[in-house]
Amino acid sequence: MSVKIKSAREIELMTEAGRILGEVHDLLGKELRVGMSTADIDHLGEEIIRSFGCTPSFLGYNGYPASICVSINEEVVHGIPDRNRVIREGDLVSLDAGVIYKGYHSDAARTHILGEADEKVRRLVEVTKQCFFEGMRYAKEGYHLYDISRAIGTYAEYFGYGVVRELVGHGIGTKLHEDPQIPNFAMRRRGPKLKAGMTLAVEPMINLGKPDVVWKADGWTVVTRDRKPSAHYENTILITEDEPKILTLPGKEET
């Protein structure tokens, strides 16, 4: 497995790509409303991305037909926006987006709750987000890639949640998906040693019920087999000689 180490110039470009995507998520999240269609969300997201002079990473990627993946409730990832799919009170809405800035990608996801929701669902969203930050404790030189994976999975499983196995995080740079793959669960091996200059998209996908997932007939949308809710939280990060730099957060966020 060859993991690309980014140059200073590449890190500069990816840092800006990440900053922009963080702002895209922030702006889009503030506009979410009950009654919007998932197509409305996609159109707005694409407008925001292009307003920064960027191109959506996902539009046309392997044939994906939209700029924003909008996944609701039991949909884990890759939900296809639809003008007939309307957001309702209490829905769990996961938004996954990427931007291309001067040839470099960033990738991030957030899960939102629209209005009132069951406390179990709120807890799932909080824990999924914290899973990411548990992984960040090991996202530094001296550790190995799967130390991040183990930390994410161990934290989620402590709460009795299902950790998706079929979908993982990934390296990122001039390509949306680069080596290495980054599981969200413990592996027998330790994986490659982390080195400064690696850029990674770390993305816990955590289910309220069992870890098992299936693909819908559209070939894209992944849903939980037991149809229980799922949450998704992702950021693009940079490994440094010290603490990891989270490129897709618009400001400092408490962990």
Side-chain angles (χ1 to χ4, degrees):
M1 180 189 300
S2 176
V3 183
K4 187 176 185 211
I5 305 299
K6 305 301 192 296
S7 68
R9 175 57 177 164
E10 288 178 307
I11 289 170
E12 180 182 317
L13 292 170
M14 290 204 65
T15 297
E16 183 61 9
R19 184 195 68 78
I20 290 169
L21 183 54
E23 290 199 33
V24 169
H25 267 293
D26 192 41
L27 292 168
L28 188 55
K30 289 176 180 176
E31 294 297 323
L32 287 182
R33 299 287 186 277
V34 171
M36 293 178 75
S37 74
T38 55
D40 292 335
I41 296 170
D42 176 57
H43 293 154
L44 178 59
E46 181 173 349
E47 284 181 4
I48 295 171
I49 290 170
R50 294 191 185 280
S51 75
F52 285 99
C54 294
T55 303
S57 295
F58 297 172
L59 184 60
Y61 183 77
N62 289 337
Y64 186 75
S67 298
I68 311 293
C69 296
V70 186
S71 307
I72 301 176
N73 298 330
E74 75 277 5
E75 296 173 351
V76 181
V77 288
H78 304 159
I80 297 176
D82 184 338
R83 62 186 177 83
N84 296 314
R85 187 81 184 275
V86 175
I87 304 300
R88 299 176 180 175
E89 179 80 14
D91 274 346
L92 200 62
V93 182
S94 294
L95 305 180
D96 191 0
V99 307
I100 308 171
Y101 173 76
K102 295 186 177 180
Y104 285 82
H105 293 263
S106 57
D107 190 2
R110 306 283 186 264
T111 297
H112 304 267
I113 298 175
L114 275 293
E116 296 297 322
D118 189 283
E119 180 57 32
K120 290 191 295 185
V121 173
R122 292 191 175 278
R123 183 67 166 165
L124 172 67
V125 174
E126 292 170 2
V127 169
T128 300
K129 180 177 177 179
Q130 187 57 33
C131 282
F132 169 85
F133 290 105
E134 293 297 317
M136 289 304 95
R137 300 179 192 273
Y138 301 91
K140 60 185 77 172
E141 284 196 324
Y143 289 99
H144 289 252
L145 182 69
Y146 297 156
D147 293 329
I148 297 174
S149 303
R150 185 186 66 254
I152 290 170
T154 298
Y155 190 76
E157 289 169 355
Y158 174 81
F159 293 89
Y161 296 146
V163 180
V164 174
R165 258 65 176 171
E166 290 87 345
L167 300 152
V168 298
H170 51 92
I172 188 169
T174 54
K175 296 179 180 179
L176 179 59
H177 293 99
E178 298 182 348
D179 284 336
Q181 293 192 344
I182 309 168
N184 293 309
F185 48 90
M187 305 287 287
R188 290 185 179 181
R189 296 171 293 121
R190 297 190 71 189
K193 197 166 187 178
L194 297 172
K195 297 179 181 178
M198 289 181 175
T199 48
L200 310 171
V202 179
E203 50 179 321
M205 289 161 275
I206 310 298
N207 300 340
L208 187 61
K210 302 289 185 182
D212 310 277
V213 298
V214 295
W215 271 253
K216 293 178 73 173
D218 63 23
W220 281 102
T221 309
V222 181
V223 300
T224 57
R225 185 179 290 276
D226 59 15
R227 297 303 192 266
K228 291 186 178 180
S230 184
H232 185 196
Y233 186 82
E234 175 186 19
N235 283 300
T236 298
I237 72 165
L238 168 69
I239 302 298
T240 74
E241 294 177 353
D242 191 18
E243 296 296 319
K245 185 175 180 181
I246 304 173
L247 303 181
T248 47
L249 286 178
K252 184 173 176 57
E253 190 162 327
E254 296 298 323
T255 63

